[in-house]
Amino acid sequence: MKTIMCTLNAKYIHTSLSIRYLKAYAEPEFPVQLAEYTIKDPILNIVSDLYSKKPDVIGFSCYIWNIEETIKVIQALKKIQPDLCIILGGPEVTYDVTEWLERIPEVDFIVVGEGEITFKSLLAAIYGENDFSKIGGIAYRRDGKNVVHPQNGKLDLKSIPSPYRFEEDRAELGKRVTYIETSRGCPFSCQFCLSSIEVGVRYFDREKIKEDIRYLMDNGAKTIKFVDRTFNISRSYAMEMFQFLIDEHRKDVVFQFEITADIMRPEVIQFLNDNAPAGLFRFEIGVQSTNDQTNELVQRRQNFDKLSRTVTMVKEGKKIDQHLDLIAGLPEEDYHSFRKTFNDVFAMRPEELQLGFLKMLRGTGLRIRANDHQYIYSDHAPYEILANNVLSFDDIIRIKQVEDVLEKYWNDHRMNAAVEYLVTNVFSSPFDFFQEFGTYWEERGWSRIGHQLEDLFKRLYQFLEDKEIEDLDVVLGLMKYDYFKTHKYKPRKPWWEQSYNKLERSAVYSTVLEHPNRLGTDFLNLGLTEKEMYKHTMLEEVPFNLSQYLNTGELNRSQCTMLAYFDPSGIGTAVFSINK
């Protein structure tokens, strides 16, 4: 008989750790074949591929991002193969199991909670005597009635076989994100998060984890993301793993962690700043809100001063990129309070700031007590909020406009210099810039069409021009600088009308060729010939002292020529200043 473990990932580059744990634990007694798809794949394609494998049992790993598509796959499979045994598991179906049994009659079993022991026991019963009465952590139907068995006790994580060493995964390790788990559970009780339900933290065997990481790197893994809820809850453990990863690091491998920033001690950060190779680590930090009342209502203990200290120290170390998260729609966080939260966090200038919207996850305290704050939310996954007692749907629409341009103009780092100037010198606050621009963007229907890089620059400039901001020429100069720096190779034509005609450009090049030392040692070391100059550089005028800006970040008015050299090997762009 044939068993398949399946899931629909959000993107192709993602991999499912859960189905690999189940396969590793079930084998060798019960061989399991893995099948992964994405939520963008046509349903019929998924169904056809699964059917062609001739399974007797299929298990699906279910989350808020894939449950609706998974249901469609299940319903189609059951129509064409009625005797197929279908098992669901995962966080989305672990709660409200009776509701799921009634909603999806095509499902035969639901595995509740931690699944390794339960899934293996269930396979033994399915392929054996069909006695399910003594299996903990399952839900099913018997004689037309729903039956739910209590979950098993906690699994000894040190006993779980490695889920990272399947031969069929090796070829894909360099192309996809590898997820790795060194602990389960969370010490905190944030009421919007499923992790708050499981009490305590359990650890896997450290030495086995290290061997797995060595194996993954040896076989081409490039992005390894730790899915521990709070990687640094144990300082000694985190330090041991940081040291190991630094000692064993390989070129172009990146490790990502979810960090609780306000409990991270300065000496740990200093150790990383002193010893970690640049780009080896990436931190994800959930801030969510800086409103004390909101944090208290969701039972989230957070010291924002200490969090800010951590983020600032890490940023000053210039070794580790940081991704900070916000959640709009938490209790008693109205539009104005969220504006403050946004500005508080943006003030730290994280490399990436993700603005998300509250999801009312099944099983969480916030969903159970939704009426306390008059929450209105979608009936279908991902159960995103539509309004509550202090945040109207109009407010949510406005904040979504902020999210749209934040992704394009900050998180993608296409216009760092121009955006920094705008949020610091032109608009009342960073939030106000993104809100005003986001509203303008939406009013013109740009959120519903695609965009080339040039379009993004043109649309920001159109917005600023219509707004009639002061010193628009300075912002345009910074946008020109950003445009050049964004390109690895020389662009065919800039999006603005160029400052120099052919004769003027030739005159500038002649001067540069005669006196290359005026552009500094770095330019002199390039040793460009006249042919290379014309082929690999571009000139543009800016209304400020570019040399001073590049050295100090200060902007003083002074007509200046910018020379951008686009390295033909594609390693990036170098910008030089020619003062008049």
Side-chain angles (χ1 to χ4, degrees), residues 5 17-27 30 32 89-90 111-124 135-138 151-157 159-164 181 184 202 204:
M5 274 306 307
L17 182 55
S18 61
I19 63 175
R20 285 168 172 79
Y21 271 123
L22 297 176
K23 173 180 169 68
Y25 201 84
E27 293 182 338
F30 303 101
V32 173
V111 172
V112 181
E114 199 167 46
E116 286 87 352
I117 293 176
T118 302
F119 182 66
K120 187 171 185 176
S121 301
L122 187 54
L123 289 181
I135 301 175
I138 61 170
Q151 295 183 47
N152 296 306
K154 297 289 181 63
L155 178 64
D156 177 9
L157 300 184
S159 69
I160 299 181
S162 171
Y164 310 109
E181 189 178 35
R184 288 183 184 174
R202 294 169 291 150
F204 288 78

Side-chain angles (χ1 to χ4, degrees), residues 356-391:
F357 294 82
L358 179 64
K359 313 293 190 295
M360 302 294 281
L361 303 180
R362 293 177 182 271
T364 59
L366 213 51
R367 177 163 173 148
I368 292 168
R369 294 180 291 277
N371 289 338
D372 292 355
H373 302 282
Q374 299 171 31
Y375 274 110
I376 303 171
Y377 57 93
S378 173
D379 293 333
H380 297 280
Y383 315 113
E384 189 166 291
I385 72 155
L386 305 173
N388 64 19
N389 60 321
V390 298
L391 199 69

Side-chain angles (χ1 to χ4, degrees), residues 490-507:
K490 182 179 178 180
R492 288 192 303 169
K493 184 181 179 182
W495 56 271
W496 64 88
E497 187 175 339
Q498 292 178 269
S499 302
Y500 295 102
N501 59 36
K502 288 185 179 181
L503 285 175
E504 292 169 334
R505 194 158 53 248
S506 296

